[in-house]
């Protein structure tokens, strides 16, 4: 850690967080915000984040304000970062930088935030004055790394600290309007999320999703396939010709997805951003893992069942299966997931 003296924080510090660039990571960042609020209930938390993430951040009661920074992937964006820094100068006591890139630490540095905390990486020595060493053995999950930056370094060394689960606010009025606009029924709903932004090695076969959808409809459920514009074709492959299966991919905003997922009894999902959204609204999650690890980015909820074969070749963390077969997901059968959903239905009914 840096040898520079850290300025003492008041009982109501103004904290600037530079947020991550993925949906799931932004949801997990709420665990940090909750930790900061538990420590300083009167704190003011501002978040620097891509514009797309504002609907998610608006559903977090702990976030006081959001500062949009829309810089393309791989783009330096000097002008945008400098302008934002000028806007923020003198407004915050401390900054916490979640990404490990050099450029992500620029705004707090240029804004002259007195205490700037982050993990050492990409030669950020001049930009951060509260540098932390990332011990991957102790901080073995993304969410732990986020929360750790909100704690004193001495509290983190053993890795034994609480991780509050994200909890997104649900808009009941918008939820009711969506049911009407999308023609959804009163049947108990199962959400399906076939997309995964990272790549096809994280995606359960569409044929498996469709087979599961057919069986769920026969069991009396309605199926809702959710995703962005990129997932429209995948949603159509699952829903085409099936009664009570709705492909709403590309028809909803991110805030709408929050409310629709909260309206589902259960969801079946790849390891994706929407998986973390579903967990954060309290819906029971059936999480499908192949190339990624449920130990590293699990859904942060007690209402989750992990489906993972743990083959010798997984997790490989590759975007595309290097062996060309994606057996880690192909061999994960729809029958196994169906049995888990039906068993959970019984548990939920008894509860």
């Amino acid at each position: 850690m840096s040898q520079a003296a850290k300025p003492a924080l008041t009982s109501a510090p103004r904290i600037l967080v530079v947020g991550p660039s993925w949906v799931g990571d932004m949801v997990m960042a709420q665990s940090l915000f909750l930790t900061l609020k538990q420590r300083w209930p009167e704190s003011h938390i501002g978040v620097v984040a891509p514009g797309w993430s504002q609907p998610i951040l608006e559903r977090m009661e702990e976030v006081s304000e959001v500062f949009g920074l829309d810089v393309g992937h791989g783009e330096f964006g000097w002008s945008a970062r400098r302008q934002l820094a000028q806007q923020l100068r003198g407004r915050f006591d401390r900054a916490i930088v979640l990404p490990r890139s050099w450029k992500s630490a620029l705004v707090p540095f240029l804004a002259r935030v007195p205490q700037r905390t982050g993990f050492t990486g990409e030669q950020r020595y001049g930009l951060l004055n509260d540098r932390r060493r990332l011990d991957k053995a102790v901080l073995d999950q993304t969410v732990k790394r986020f929360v750790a930056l909100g704690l004193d370094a001495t509290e983190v060394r053993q890795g034994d600290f609480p991780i509050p689960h994200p909890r997104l606010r649900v808009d009941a009025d918008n939820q009711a309007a969506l049911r009407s606009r999308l023609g959804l029924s009163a049947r108990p709903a199962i959400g399906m999320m076939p997309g995964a932004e990272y790549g096809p090695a994280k995606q359960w076969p569409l044929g498996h999703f469709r087979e599961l959808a057919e069986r769920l409809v026969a069991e009396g459920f309605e199926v809702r396939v959710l995703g962005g514009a990129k997932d429209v074709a995948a949603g159509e492959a699952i829903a085409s010709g099936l009664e009570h299966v709705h492909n709403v991919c590309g028809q909803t905003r991110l805030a709408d997805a929050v409310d629709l997922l909260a309206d589902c009894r259960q969801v079946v999902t790849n390891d994706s951003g929407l998986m973390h959204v579903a967990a954060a609204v309290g819906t029971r999650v059936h999480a499908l893992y192949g190339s990624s690890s449920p130990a590293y980015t699990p859904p942060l909820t007690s209402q989750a069942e992990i489906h993972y074969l743990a083959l010798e070749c997984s997790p490989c963390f590759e975007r595309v299966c290097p062996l060309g077969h994606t057996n880690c997901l192909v061999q994960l059968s729809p029958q196994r997931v169906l049995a888990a959903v039906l068993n959970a239905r019984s548990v939920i009914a008894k509860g």
Side-chain angles (χ1 to χ4, degrees):
M1 193 171 80
S2 170
Q3 298 302 309
K6 295 185 295 182
L9 296 182
T10 67
S11 60
R14 299 180 64 85
I15 303 172
L16 181 69
V17 177
V18 179
S21 298
W22 299 88
V23 173
D25 286 359
M26 191 61 78
V27 174
M28 287 188 283
Q30 191 181 18
S31 295
L32 167 63
F33 307 150
L34 287 162
T35 299
L36 295 173
K37 279 293 187 180
Q38 288 169 1
R39 179 150 299 191
W40 297 290
E42 302 303 316
S43 60
H44 179 99
I45 298 176
V47 181
V48 174
W52 62 258
S53 66
Q54 185 163 344
I56 287 287
L57 292 166
E58 287 175 347
R59 298 301 184 92
M60 300 180 183
E61 304 293 348
E62 304 77 27
V63 176
S64 304
E65 54 185 332
V66 180
F67 305 100
L69 179 62
D70 289 305
V71 178
H73 182 68
E75 181 183 346
F76 188 74
W78 169 256
S79 177
R81 295 178 197 277
R82 184 180 59 185
Q83 289 177 14
L84 179 57
Q86 290 174 344
Q87 176 187 343
L88 299 178
R89 188 169 295 177
R91 294 193 55 196
F92 290 91
D93 308 305
R94 180 187 182 186
I96 298 174
V97 183
L98 298 185
R100 296 185 66 199
S101 66
W102 184 80
K103 60 187 178 184
S104 63
L106 269 175
V107 168
F109 173 76
L110 295 173
R112 300 178 184 173
V113 179
Q115 181 179 339
R116 304 180 299 277
T117 303
F119 290 115
T120 300
E122 287 197 2
Q123 304 298 316
R124 303 197 291 183
Y125 299 105
L127 302 181
L128 301 176
N129 57 10
D130 178 24
R131 297 187 303 277
R132 309 287 182 88
R133 184 180 70 86
L134 175 56
D135 185 339
K136 294 183 179 181
V138 173
L139 302 177
D140 56 353
Q141 294 180 341
T142 297
V143 68
K144 287 184 180 179
R145 297 173 187 182
F146 290 170
V147 171
L149 291 176
L151 304 174
D152 291 334
T154 53
E155 300 176 79
V156 177
R157 286 176 187 149
Q158 299 304 315
D160 185 19
F161 49 85
I163 304 292
H165 289 173
R167 48 174 188 262
L168 299 177
R169 180 178 55 81
V170 176
D171 185 335
D173 291 336
N174 186 51
Q175 193 178 70
L178 287 166
R179 287 196 208 103
S180 176
R181 176 170 70 84
L182 298 171
L184 305 177
S185 74
R187 280 187 166 210
I190 303 292
M192 286 188 174
M193 288 88 91
E197 189 71 20
Y198 186 74
K202 292 177 71 173
Q203 296 174 331
W204 204 40
L206 293 178
H208 287 12
F209 273 112
R210 183 176 174 89
E211 181 179 341
L212 178 61
E214 291 174 334
R215 299 289 296 275
L216 289 171
V217 168
E219 292 287 342
F221 290 102
E222 174 181 81
V223 175
R224 303 171 182 175
V225 187
L226 291 89
K230 295 179 180 178
D231 303 311
V232 171
E236 190 59 21
I238 297 168
S240 181
L242 297 182
E243 190 177 5
H244 300 298
V245 181
H246 302 267
N247 176 19
V248 300
C249 295
Q251 300 182 50
T252 58
R253 305 164 302 160
L254 187 53
D256 296 333
V258 173
D259 298 326
L260 284 174
L261 289 170
D263 194 43
C264 292
R265 301 289 180 87
Q266 304 180 58
V267 298
V268 178
T269 174
N270 297 323
D271 174 18
S272 66
L274 289 182
M275 176 191 76
H276 292 284
V277 173
V281 294
T283 299
R284 187 171 188 86
V285 174
H286 295 271
L288 311 168
Y289 283 83
S291 65
S292 58
S293 169
Y296 182 57
T297 53
L300 300 175
T301 173
S302 60
Q303 299 297 311
E305 184 163 349
I306 304 298
H307 300 273
Y308 179 56
L309 297 180
L311 300 184
E312 184 179 0
C313 56
S314 62
C316 66
F317 298 105
E318 299 289 341
R319 293 178 182 269
V320 178
C321 175
L323 302 177
H325 53 58
T326 322
N327 282 343
C328 57
L329 289 169
V330 170
Q331 294 177 4
L332 184 58
S333 71
Q335 292 77 18
R336 167 178 166 164
V337 181
L338 175 67
V341 171
L342 296 181
N343 181 65
R345 177 174 65 177
S346 301
V347 172
I348 292 170
K350 290 178 182 177

